[in-house]
Structure formats: C-alpha cells, structure tokens
Amino acid sequence: MPIEITAQNFEQEVLRSDKPVLIDFWASWCGPCRMLSPVVDEIADEHPEIKVGKVNVDEQTELAIRFGVSGIPMLILFKDGKNIDSSMGVVPKSAIEKMIG
C-alpha cells in the first residue's frame, strides 16, 4: 500500500529513501485521480523495489507548490532525493512501469 506523504515526513520518506520513490499527487474531488489511484496501488503491491507514496494536494499545498504541480493527478519519480521523471493525467499501468524502469 502507498504511504501518505506530508511536509513532515517528506525528507525522511522521499529525500532519504534508499530506493526510488513514486509519488502520486491527488485530491479527493478529482475524478481522474480516483481512476488512477487503484493503478498506483497495484504498482505499490507489485513493485517492492520502489516506495510508493501519495500526496493529497489539498492538505499538502506546500509540497504541491514546491514541485510545480499544476494539474492532477501527477506522478513524480524521485531517485536519490532528485526528481527524475514525471507524468500528468491518467496514464496506463504500462507507462508507469516503464517510468519506474
């Protein structure tokens, strides 16, 4: 299951992670986010080599602003604390799997 990422745990869970971290920026009112969410959950369950987190943009506006989230859902992949890839909108599972390598 994905973990909830907040401003409080971001540094520990993402920047200091020893494995790549895929973050799903989402909101409860966002229809496309609800479509993408089960796919992100599957990625979390099927890919133990990465960490998967979710950021609720309504609750964590500072993180959304920090990473230039202009539309949701938005996925950002971090490796060694750096943003190395991203995608916006609903994307197929195969595209996410390609993104995480």
Side-chain angles (χ1 to χ4, degrees):
M1 272 322 280
I3 55 173
E4 184 179 349
I5 301 293
T6 65
Q8 289 71 37
N9 72 3
F10 184 82
E11 185 171 336
Q12 184 63 41
E13 295 290 354
V14 181
L15 299 183
R16 294 185 187 168
S17 177
D18 56 354
K19 49 187 176 179
V21 184
L22 180 70
I23 299 190
D24 176 15
F25 288 85
W26 69 284
S28 58
W29 48 263
C30 165
C33 298
R34 290 197 299 273
M35 289 170 53
L36 187 62
S37 187
V39 177
V40 172
D41 293 348
E42 283 178 27
I43 294 286
D45 293 341
E46 295 169 11
H47 293 275
E49 74 278 9
I50 67 162
K51 186 186 289 187
V52 177
K54 293 191 177 200
V55 171
N56 182 323
V57 297
D58 288 334
E59 296 170 2
Q60 302 296 324
T61 51
E62 65 275 24
L63 286 178
I65 292 166
R66 181 173 169 185
F67 295 102
V69 177
S70 57
I72 53 173
M74 184 169 182
L75 300 175
I76 298 181
L77 181 65
F78 291 86
K79 187 172 185 182
D80 301 322
K82 293 178 178 58
N83 171 348
I84 60 165
D85 202 358
S86 64
S87 71
M88 192 178 297
V90 177
V91 291
K93 186 176 177 182
S94 59
I96 300 171
E97 289 177 323
K98 186 175 181 193
M99 184 174 160
I100 62 177

XYZ file of all heavy atoms in Angstrom:
782
model
N 0.840 -1.194 0.000
C 0.000 0.000 0.000
C 0.885 1.257 0.000
O 1.898 1.303 0.690
C -0.862 0.030 1.264
C -2.217 -0.683 1.200
S -3.157 -0.587 -0.328
C -3.909 1.012 -0.208
N 0.455 2.257 -0.714
C 1.195 3.521 -0.696
C 1.161 4.159 0.696
O 0.224 3.933 1.455
C 0.440 4.393 -1.697
C -0.298 3.432 -2.564
C -0.632 2.260 -1.683
N 2.184 4.933 0.987
C 2.213 5.653 2.259
C 1.802 7.098 2.026
O 1.968 7.619 0.929
C 3.612 5.589 2.912
C 4.679 6.102 1.954
C 3.941 4.199 3.387
C 6.044 6.227 2.568
N 1.239 7.705 3.052
C 0.849 9.109 2.943
C 2.083 9.975 3.151
O 2.787 9.847 4.154
C -0.222 9.447 3.983
C -0.720 10.870 3.839
C -1.795 11.237 4.843
O -2.323 10.340 5.521
O -2.099 12.435 4.940
N 2.345 10.828 2.185
C 3.499 11.724 2.257
C 3.004 13.114 2.663
O 2.064 13.635 2.080
C 4.229 11.804 0.889
C 4.709 10.420 0.435
C 5.389 12.808 0.966
C 5.785 9.796 1.263
N 3.669 13.668 3.675
C 3.320 15.004 4.163
C 4.588 15.852 4.210
O 5.698 15.332 4.060
C 2.726 14.932 5.586
O 3.750 14.464 6.476
C 1.511 14.026 5.653
N 4.426 17.129 4.451
C 5.591 18.005 4.599
C 6.461 17.520 5.756
O 7.687 17.638 5.717
C 5.134 19.446 4.823
N 5.830 16.920 6.782
C 6.559 16.466 7.958
C 7.433 15.238 7.679
O 8.518 15.109 8.219
C 5.590 16.143 9.111
C 4.938 17.367 9.731
C 3.900 18.049 8.822
O 3.158 17.393 8.098
N 3.873 19.373 8.847
N 6.952 14.296 6.837
C 7.736 13.073 6.602
C 8.421 13.044 5.242
O 9.096 12.073 4.906
C 6.871 11.820 6.805
C 5.834 11.595 5.705
O 5.760 12.329 4.715
N 5.031 10.572 5.866
N 8.282 14.097 4.452
C 8.819 14.110 3.089
C 10.333 13.849 3.046
O 10.800 13.006 2.282
C 8.497 15.433 2.389
C 8.948 15.464 0.965
C 8.169 14.892 -0.031
C 10.164 16.021 0.601
C 8.581 14.888 -1.352
C 10.586 16.032 -0.716
C 9.793 15.457 -1.700
N 11.070 14.546 3.881
C 12.523 14.384 3.838
C 12.920 12.945 4.165
O 13.721 12.330 3.463
C 13.202 15.348 4.811
C 14.715 15.283 4.705
C 15.423 16.366 5.503
O 14.820 17.415 5.780
O 16.589 16.136 5.829
N 12.334 12.397 5.218
C 12.678 11.034 5.629
C 12.225 10.001 4.606
O 12.986 9.118 4.216
C 12.029 10.736 6.997
C 12.415 9.381 7.557
C 13.907 9.245 7.834
O 14.540 10.164 8.323
N 14.473 8.113 7.498
N 10.972 10.084 4.160
C 10.394 9.056 3.285
C 10.835 9.164 1.832
O 10.882 8.173 1.118
C 8.863 9.100 3.348
C 8.268 8.747 4.693
C 8.423 7.281 5.068
O 8.904 6.485 4.245
O 8.054 6.933 6.201
N 11.136 10.376 1.361
C 11.453 10.583 -0.057
C 12.923 10.929 -0.270
O 13.646 10.208 -0.947
C 10.533 11.656 -0.684
C 10.850 11.845 -2.155
C 9.064 11.283 -0.495
N 13.359 12.027 0.312
C 14.717 12.504 0.053
C 15.784 11.556 0.593
O 16.844 11.411 -0.001
C 14.912 13.908 0.635
C 13.989 14.990 0.061
C 14.312 16.341 0.659
C 14.055 15.037 -1.458
N 15.501 10.896 1.718
C 16.487 9.989 2.324
C 16.211 8.526 2.009
O 16.873 7.650 2.564
C 16.515 10.179 3.835
C 17.016 11.542 4.254
C 17.141 11.605 5.747
N 17.476 12.958 6.196
C 17.417 13.344 7.455
N 17.049 12.500 8.390
N 17.737 14.581 7.774
N 15.267 8.251 1.142
C 14.915 6.863 0.820
C 16.072 6.164 0.119
O 16.741 6.735 -0.738
C 13.686 6.836 -0.093
O 13.391 5.504 -0.461
N 16.287 4.905 0.488
C 17.350 4.128 -0.153
C 16.868 3.473 -1.446
O 17.624 2.788 -2.120
C 17.919 3.078 0.813
C 16.854 2.145 1.367
O 15.651 2.378 1.099
O 17.210 1.188 2.078
N 15.605 3.661 -1.791
C 15.113 3.177 -3.084
C 14.293 4.263 -3.760
O 13.872 5.216 -3.104
C 14.334 1.874 -2.935
C 13.265 1.826 -1.881
C 12.746 0.392 -1.782
C 11.736 0.217 -0.670
N 11.232 -1.151 -0.609
N 14.081 4.140 -5.067
C 13.285 5.156 -5.768
C 11.893 5.294 -5.149
O 11.349 4.325 -4.612
C 13.193 4.609 -7.199
C 14.355 3.683 -7.331
C 14.551 3.090 -5.963
N 11.340 6.501 -5.245
C 10.023 6.785 -4.667
C 9.122 7.378 -5.749
O 9.463 8.374 -6.371
C 10.113 7.785 -3.491
C 8.742 7.983 -2.849
C 11.128 7.316 -2.453
N 7.977 6.731 -5.968
C 6.967 7.232 -6.897
C 5.891 7.919 -6.068
O 5.308 7.300 -5.171
C 6.357 6.083 -7.699
C 5.276 6.493 -8.707
C 5.892 7.272 -9.877
C 4.532 5.265 -9.214
N 5.638 9.189 -6.355
C 4.623 9.931 -5.605
C 3.457 10.292 -6.512
O 3.645 10.797 -7.622
C 5.205 11.210 -4.983
C 6.313 10.822 -4.014
C 4.111 12.005 -4.274
C 6.810 11.947 -3.174
N 2.270 10.018 -6.010
C 1.021 10.351 -6.679
C 0.451 11.596 -5.993
O 0.073 11.547 -4.829
C 0.053 9.162 -6.536
C -1.322 9.423 -7.124
O -1.487 10.390 -7.884
O -2.244 8.629 -6.815
N 0.444 12.719 -6.716
C -0.199 13.940 -6.219
C -1.660 13.881 -6.640
O -1.952 13.764 -7.833
C 0.485 15.180 -6.812
C 1.854 15.438 -6.248
C 2.973 14.804 -6.770
C 2.030 16.323 -5.183
C 4.238 15.050 -6.248
C 3.287 16.572 -4.659
C 4.395 15.932 -5.189
N -2.590 13.964 -5.689
C -4.004 13.737 -5.956
C -4.876 14.605 -5.044
O -4.370 15.270 -4.147
C -4.345 12.262 -5.727
C -4.271 11.906 -4.263
C -3.132 11.710 -3.521
C -5.366 11.778 -3.356
N -3.459 11.470 -2.209
C -4.821 11.488 -2.085
C -6.744 11.874 -3.489
C -5.621 11.299 -0.957
C -7.536 11.684 -2.368
C -6.971 11.396 -1.133
N -6.186 14.570 -5.299
C -7.172 15.209 -4.421
C -8.443 14.370 -4.435
O -8.754 13.721 -5.441
C -7.485 16.630 -4.891
N -9.174 14.402 -3.342
C -10.369 13.565 -3.202
C -11.473 13.935 -4.199
O -12.252 13.092 -4.615
C -10.908 13.643 -1.775
O -11.210 14.979 -1.440
N -11.537 15.208 -4.608
C -12.588 15.676 -5.524
C -12.246 15.430 -6.992
O -13.055 15.717 -7.875
C -12.827 17.171 -5.311
C -11.563 17.976 -5.283
C -10.881 18.382 -4.169
C -10.791 18.434 -6.396
N -9.740 19.065 -4.534
C -9.662 19.111 -5.902
C -10.944 18.334 -7.791
C -8.691 19.682 -6.710
C -9.975 18.914 -8.607
C -8.868 19.569 -8.070
N -11.054 14.916 -7.268
C -10.550 14.781 -8.640
C -10.927 13.411 -9.229
O -10.412 12.388 -8.786
C -9.031 14.985 -8.597
S -8.135 14.458 -10.054
N -11.821 13.429 -10.209
C -12.262 12.192 -10.855
C -11.125 11.392 -11.473
O -10.998 10.188 -11.239
N -10.272 12.024 -12.300
C -9.144 11.284 -12.870
C -8.212 10.696 -11.804
O -7.644 9.629 -11.997
C -8.430 12.335 -13.728
C -9.513 13.311 -14.089
C -10.404 13.368 -12.883
N -8.080 11.388 -10.662
C -7.245 10.869 -9.570
C -7.826 9.555 -9.042
O -7.088 8.611 -8.759
C -7.157 11.869 -8.420
S -6.392 13.445 -8.860
N -9.156 9.517 -8.932
C -9.806 8.294 -8.444
C -9.648 7.157 -9.459
O -9.617 5.993 -9.080
C -11.279 8.561 -8.134
C -11.449 9.452 -6.904
C -12.857 9.401 -6.347
N -13.875 9.857 -7.289
C -14.245 11.122 -7.440
N -13.692 12.074 -6.721
N -15.178 11.441 -8.309
N -9.540 7.499 -10.742
C -9.310 6.472 -11.763
C -7.883 5.931 -11.678
O -7.656 4.737 -11.857
C -9.544 7.051 -13.164
C -10.997 7.344 -13.472
S -11.218 8.295 -15.009
C -10.317 7.331 -16.196
N -6.924 6.802 -11.399
C -5.520 6.399 -11.372
C -5.141 5.704 -10.058
O -4.256 4.853 -10.045
C -4.623 7.623 -11.592
C -3.131 7.354 -11.761
C -2.871 6.487 -12.995
C -2.348 8.654 -11.863
N -5.819 6.030 -8.984
C -5.449 5.534 -7.656
C -5.311 4.009 -7.559
O -4.312 3.518 -7.027
C -6.450 6.043 -6.616
O -6.020 5.703 -5.325
N -6.282 3.208 -8.080
C -6.106 1.750 -7.975
C -4.894 1.235 -8.761
O -4.273 0.254 -8.370
C -7.405 1.170 -8.540
C -8.254 2.301 -8.960
C -7.558 3.590 -8.644
N -4.548 1.922 -9.844
C -3.364 1.535 -10.628
C -2.101 1.791 -9.810
O -1.194 0.957 -9.759
C -3.324 2.311 -11.971
C -2.072 1.967 -12.764
C -4.573 2.021 -12.794
N -2.054 2.942 -9.142
C -0.914 3.279 -8.286
C -0.811 2.265 -7.137
O 0.283 1.818 -6.784
C -1.024 4.727 -7.761
C 0.052 5.026 -6.724
C -0.936 5.714 -8.921
N -1.968 1.864 -6.574
C -1.973 0.858 -5.506
C -1.396 -0.463 -6.008
O -0.632 -1.123 -5.298
C -3.395 0.642 -4.975
C -3.949 1.863 -4.242
O -3.176 2.797 -3.946
O -5.164 1.875 -3.978
N -1.758 -0.856 -7.234
C -1.222 -2.095 -7.822
C 0.287 -2.000 -7.992
O 1.014 -2.954 -7.704
C -1.852 -2.366 -9.193
C -3.250 -2.916 -9.144
C -3.841 -3.112 -10.539
O -3.073 -3.314 -11.505
O -5.075 -3.064 -10.649
N 0.758 -0.857 -8.474
C 2.207 -0.651 -8.640
C 2.898 -0.827 -7.280
O 3.925 -1.495 -7.177
C 2.503 0.751 -9.226
C 1.978 0.873 -10.665
C 3.995 1.080 -9.137
C 2.755 0.142 -11.731
N 2.317 -0.258 -6.226
C 2.895 -0.367 -4.879
C 2.982 -1.832 -4.442
O 3.998 -2.258 -3.882
C 2.063 0.435 -3.884
N 1.920 -2.594 -4.721
C 1.881 -4.000 -4.304
C 2.810 -4.883 -5.139
O 3.357 -5.853 -4.632
C 0.449 -4.538 -4.392
C -0.482 -3.883 -3.376
O 0.020 -3.301 -2.390
O -1.707 -3.946 -3.575
N 2.973 -4.552 -6.402
C 3.717 -5.420 -7.325
C 5.191 -5.055 -7.472
O 5.952 -5.809 -8.067
C 3.050 -5.389 -8.707
C 1.653 -5.988 -8.700
C 0.881 -5.732 -9.992
O 1.492 -5.268 -10.976
O -0.334 -5.994 -9.998
N 5.605 -3.895 -6.957
C 6.990 -3.442 -7.147
C 7.642 -3.075 -5.815
O 7.784 -1.889 -5.490
C 7.030 -2.258 -8.124
C 6.644 -2.635 -9.517
N 7.540 -3.165 -10.419
C 5.441 -2.606 -10.149
C 6.910 -3.434 -11.555
N 5.639 -3.107 -11.412
N 8.073 -4.096 -5.060
C 8.699 -3.828 -3.760
C 10.046 -3.103 -3.876
O 10.549 -2.574 -2.892
C 8.885 -5.222 -3.154
C 8.890 -6.155 -4.318
C 7.992 -5.529 -5.347
N 10.597 -3.039 -5.093
C 11.886 -2.365 -5.282
C 11.759 -0.846 -5.252
O 12.761 -0.135 -5.242
C 12.547 -2.826 -6.590
C 11.931 -2.276 -7.867
C 10.673 -2.996 -8.382
O 10.116 -3.862 -7.661
O 10.247 -2.673 -9.502
N 10.521 -0.341 -5.247
C 10.310 1.104 -5.125
C 9.362 1.372 -3.961
O 8.632 0.488 -3.527
C 9.741 1.744 -6.418
C 8.314 1.257 -6.694
C 10.657 1.519 -7.594
C 7.562 2.129 -7.660
N 9.401 2.606 -3.497
C 8.455 3.054 -2.472
C 7.407 3.885 -3.198
O 7.740 4.643 -4.106
C 9.194 3.900 -1.441
C 8.368 4.308 -0.244
C 9.133 5.261 0.657
C 10.259 4.594 1.394
N 10.888 5.514 2.387
N 6.151 3.723 -2.819
C 5.072 4.493 -3.437
C 4.379 5.321 -2.359
O 4.034 4.803 -1.298
C 4.058 3.571 -4.156
C 2.904 4.386 -4.731
C 4.739 2.765 -5.256
N 4.216 6.610 -2.661
C 3.557 7.496 -1.720
C 2.489 8.323 -2.401
O 2.467 8.451 -3.625
N 1.601 8.868 -1.585
C 0.541 9.729 -2.103
C 0.551 11.045 -1.346
O 0.726 11.063 -0.130
C -0.824 9.052 -1.959
C -0.952 7.822 -2.848
C -2.377 7.305 -2.904
C -2.449 6.118 -3.860
N -3.805 5.879 -4.326
N 0.383 12.121 -2.102
C 0.308 13.462 -1.513
C -1.057 14.048 -1.856
O -1.385 14.228 -3.032
C 1.424 14.384 -2.066
C 1.205 15.823 -1.609
C 2.802 13.889 -1.650
N -1.852 14.329 -0.825
C -3.134 14.999 -1.012
C -2.830 16.487 -1.171
O -2.401 17.138 -0.222
C -4.042 14.737 0.192
C -5.402 15.368 0.042
O -5.547 16.460 -0.500
N -6.408 14.671 0.520
N -3.027 17.005 -2.392
C -2.634 18.393 -2.667
C -3.449 19.419 -1.883
O -2.978 20.534 -1.647
C -2.679 18.724 -4.183
C -1.676 17.858 -4.936
C -4.069 18.565 -4.761
N -4.656 19.053 -1.461
C -5.462 19.974 -0.655
C -4.893 20.113 0.756
O -4.961 21.177 1.359
C -6.915 19.505 -0.574
C -7.650 19.682 -1.888
O -7.259 20.575 -2.675
O -8.610 18.931 -2.136
N -4.329 19.030 1.283
C -3.776 19.043 2.638
C -2.301 19.438 2.650
O -1.789 19.897 3.666
C -3.939 17.663 3.284
C -5.393 17.265 3.478
C -5.557 15.810 3.893
O -4.545 15.109 4.077
O -6.713 15.376 4.031
N -1.620 19.227 1.535
C -0.173 19.454 1.468
C 0.157 20.445 0.350
O 0.935 20.153 -0.558
C 0.560 18.115 1.244
C 0.292 17.075 2.305
C 0.794 17.493 3.681
O 1.843 18.137 3.807
N 0.055 17.146 4.715
N -0.452 21.619 0.413
C -0.268 22.599 -0.664
C 1.183 23.007 -0.842
O 1.628 23.229 -1.961
C -1.142 23.853 -0.432
O -0.914 24.322 0.890
C -2.601 23.556 -0.626
N 1.949 23.062 0.258
C 3.350 23.467 0.124
C 4.155 22.473 -0.707
O 5.034 22.873 -1.484
C 4.011 23.721 1.489
C 4.138 22.510 2.391
C 2.897 22.203 3.235
O 1.776 22.596 2.883
O 3.061 21.534 4.266
N 3.860 21.181 -0.588
C 4.555 20.181 -1.419
C 4.133 20.313 -2.880
O 4.965 20.201 -3.783
C 4.289 18.764 -0.913
C 4.995 18.344 0.370
C 4.582 16.936 0.773
C 6.502 18.447 0.240
N 2.854 20.545 -3.109
C 2.368 20.708 -4.481
C 3.033 21.921 -5.145
O 3.471 21.849 -6.300
C 0.848 20.855 -4.497
N 3.138 23.006 -4.412
C 3.781 24.216 -4.941
C 5.271 23.972 -5.166
O 5.818 24.324 -6.211
C 3.552 25.410 -3.981
C 2.074 25.804 -3.995
C 4.438 26.595 -4.361
C 1.668 26.724 -2.864
N 5.909 23.327 -4.200
C 7.349 23.055 -4.276
C 7.721 22.280 -5.544
O 8.774 22.511 -6.134
C 7.757 22.260 -3.029
C 9.229 21.918 -2.944
C 9.507 21.285 -1.589
N 10.819 20.702 -1.522
C 11.260 20.008 -0.481
N 10.493 19.839 0.570
N 12.464 19.494 -0.481
N 6.845 21.363 -5.964
C 7.157 20.533 -7.133
C 6.382 20.939 -8.381
O 6.322 20.190 -9.347
C 6.984 19.054 -6.786
C 7.986 18.637 -5.764
C 7.624 18.489 -4.446
C 9.316 18.495 -6.104
C 8.563 18.168 -3.485
C 10.268 18.178 -5.154
C 9.893 18.013 -3.840
N 5.814 22.133 -8.361
C 5.183 22.684 -9.551
C 4.015 21.880 -10.070
O 3.819 21.768 -11.275
N 3.245 21.318 -9.154
C 2.085 20.525 -9.557
C 1.001 21.479 -10.037
O 0.365 22.164 -9.250
C 1.585 19.632 -8.399
C 0.344 18.872 -8.801
C 2.692 18.678 -7.959
N 0.819 21.540 -11.360
C -0.152 22.465 -11.934
C -1.437 21.761 -12.332
O -2.431 22.388 -12.646
C 0.447 23.162 -13.152
O 0.873 22.204 -14.092
N -1.416 20.449 -12.344
C -2.594 19.653 -12.671
C -2.470 18.309 -11.991
O -1.361 17.849 -11.700
N -3.605 17.694 -11.696
C -3.588 16.384 -11.053
C -4.506 15.433 -11.804
O -5.423 15.895 -12.482
C -3.990 16.481 -9.558
C -5.319 17.220 -9.391
C -2.893 17.087 -8.731
C -5.862 17.226 -7.985
N -4.274 14.132 -11.733
C -3.185 13.504 -10.989
C -1.827 13.747 -11.651
O -1.734 13.871 -12.870
C -3.543 12.015 -11.030
C -4.330 11.850 -12.300
C -5.098 13.137 -12.454
N -0.809 13.816 -10.817
C 0.552 13.953 -11.308
C 1.427 12.961 -10.562
O 1.344 12.864 -9.334
C 1.072 15.372 -11.086
C 2.452 15.597 -11.655
S 2.856 17.363 -11.627
C 4.462 17.344 -12.401
N 2.218 12.222 -11.314
C 3.159 11.277 -10.725
C 4.567 11.850 -10.870
O 4.921 12.342 -11.937
C 3.101 9.925 -11.441
C 1.759 9.191 -11.432
C 1.840 7.942 -12.287
C 1.342 8.846 -10.015
N 5.334 11.783 -9.795
C 6.732 12.200 -9.851
C 7.574 11.066 -9.279
O 7.256 10.520 -8.213
C 6.998 13.497 -9.063
C 6.188 14.659 -9.647
C 8.493 13.842 -9.090
C 6.400 15.995 -8.943
N 8.632 10.717 -10.007
C 9.552 9.685 -9.555
C 10.823 10.345 -9.021
O 11.433 11.160 -9.711
C 9.899 8.744 -10.719
C 10.841 7.586 -10.386
C 10.191 6.624 -9.392
C 11.241 6.845 -11.657
N 11.163 10.005 -7.798
C 12.378 10.503 -7.159
C 13.380 9.372 -7.030
O 13.012 8.242 -6.711
C 12.066 11.039 -5.745
C 11.254 12.283 -5.735
C 9.869 12.231 -5.785
C 11.863 13.526 -5.661
C 9.104 13.394 -5.768
C 11.116 14.698 -5.644
C 9.732 14.625 -5.698
N 14.639 9.692 -7.281
C 15.716 8.732 -7.047
C 16.866 9.506 -6.427
O 17.230 10.567 -6.922
C 16.143 8.065 -8.350
C 17.133 6.939 -8.130
C 17.393 6.166 -9.404
C 18.288 4.992 -9.075
N 18.638 4.215 -10.249
N 17.401 8.969 -5.336
C 18.470 9.649 -4.590
C 18.084 11.092 -4.257
O 18.905 12.004 -4.356
C 19.782 9.609 -5.384
C 20.230 8.173 -5.675
O 20.048 7.313 -4.786
O 20.743 7.918 -6.767
N 16.807 11.287 -3.911
C 16.332 12.602 -3.497
C 16.084 13.585 -4.623
O 15.776 14.739 -4.378
N 16.234 13.135 -5.877
C 16.054 14.041 -7.016
C 14.851 13.617 -7.849
O 14.602 12.445 -8.059
C 17.308 14.034 -7.897
C 18.519 14.631 -7.214
C 19.736 14.547 -8.120
C 20.964 15.186 -7.507
N 21.366 14.615 -6.225
N 14.132 14.633 -8.370
C 13.002 14.409 -9.257
C 13.574 14.006 -10.625
O 14.187 14.819 -11.298
C 12.207 15.719 -9.329
C 11.127 15.726 -10.372
O 11.052 14.865 -11.237
N 10.278 16.727 -10.302
N 13.387 12.725 -11.015
C 13.992 12.272 -12.267
C 12.990 12.049 -13.395
O 13.373 11.942 -14.550
C 14.844 10.994 -12.080
C 14.004 9.825 -11.557
C 16.023 11.272 -11.158
C 14.687 8.489 -11.702
N 11.700 11.963 -13.067
C 10.695 11.768 -14.118
C 9.324 12.136 -13.567
O 9.112 12.119 -12.363
C 10.690 10.313 -14.592
C 10.093 10.147 -15.994
O 9.642 11.155 -16.581
O 10.078 9.012 -16.498
N 8.407 12.487 -14.478
C 7.046 12.794 -14.040
C 6.069 12.579 -15.176
O 6.459 12.507 -16.345
C 6.956 14.242 -13.544
O 7.216 15.139 -14.593
N 4.804 12.446 -14.811
C 3.739 12.369 -15.815
C 2.501 13.025 -15.226
O 2.323 13.050 -14.014
C 3.443 10.918 -16.198
O 2.788 10.250 -15.143
N 1.666 13.568 -16.102
C 0.447 14.232 -15.649
C -0.755 13.573 -16.298
O -0.689 13.167 -17.456
C 0.479 15.719 -15.981
C -0.637 16.484 -15.261
S -0.620 18.253 -15.570
C 0.934 18.719 -14.885
N -1.825 13.475 -15.536
C -3.057 12.885 -16.053
C -3.090 11.389 -15.824
O -2.173 10.804 -15.256
N -4.176 10.787 -16.280
C -4.328 9.346 -16.141
C -3.467 8.675 -17.197
O -3.587 8.976 -18.385
C -5.811 8.924 -16.301
C -5.959 7.416 -16.228
C -6.669 9.597 -15.241
N -2.575 7.812 -16.750
C -1.694 7.093 -17.662
C -1.878 5.602 -17.439
O -2.240 5.173 -16.350
C -0.206 7.479 -17.455
C 0.045 8.911 -17.893
C 0.227 7.292 -16.025
N -1.653 4.789 -18.482
C -1.795 3.346 -18.315
C -0.713 2.770 -17.379
O 0.368 3.355 -17.258
C -1.671 2.778 -19.721
C -1.050 3.859 -20.539
C -1.319 5.161 -19.853
N -1.030 1.654 -16.779
C -0.096 0.993 -15.872
C 1.239 0.731 -16.573
O 2.303 0.895 -15.967
C -0.717 -0.316 -15.380
C 0.091 -1.026 -14.340
C -0.659 -2.254 -13.854
C 0.146 -3.044 -12.871
N -0.575 -4.256 -12.461
N 1.195 0.356 -17.839
C 2.425 0.067 -18.568
C 3.339 1.291 -18.649
O 4.566 1.168 -18.578
C 2.109 -0.441 -19.983
O 1.360 0.535 -20.698
N 2.745 2.475 -18.756
C 3.544 3.707 -18.808
C 4.206 3.982 -17.467
O 5.360 4.429 -17.415
C 2.665 4.887 -19.223
N 3.506 3.678 -16.383
C 4.084 3.867 -15.045
C 5.222 2.857 -14.840
O 6.274 3.200 -14.322
C 3.016 3.719 -13.949
C 1.908 4.763 -14.121
C 3.651 3.863 -12.555
C 0.698 4.568 -13.236
N 5.002 1.625 -15.276
C 6.037 0.606 -15.127
C 7.283 0.967 -15.950
O 8.398 0.743 -15.508
C 5.495 -0.773 -15.498
C 4.522 -1.269 -14.443
C 3.882 -2.591 -14.753
O 3.579 -2.856 -15.942
O 3.670 -3.371 -13.817
N 7.060 1.558 -17.118
C 8.196 1.997 -17.932
C 8.946 3.143 -17.226
O 10.166 3.189 -17.217
C 7.689 2.449 -19.311
C 8.798 2.797 -20.282
C 8.228 3.120 -21.655
C 9.382 3.429 -22.604
N 8.919 4.047 -23.839
N 8.181 4.035 -16.605
C 8.749 5.171 -15.883
C 9.647 4.709 -14.733
O 10.730 5.254 -14.525
C 7.584 6.026 -15.355
C 7.932 7.297 -14.665
S 6.357 8.149 -14.319
C 6.865 9.250 -13.040
N 9.194 3.688 -13.993
C 9.974 3.228 -12.843
C 11.098 2.272 -13.250
O 11.922 1.899 -12.426
C 9.084 2.588 -11.750
C 8.359 1.341 -12.257
C 8.122 3.600 -11.186
C 7.517 0.634 -11.213
N 11.105 1.900 -14.534
C 12.202 1.101 -15.054
C 12.074 -0.359 -14.725
O 13.012 -1.094 -14.575
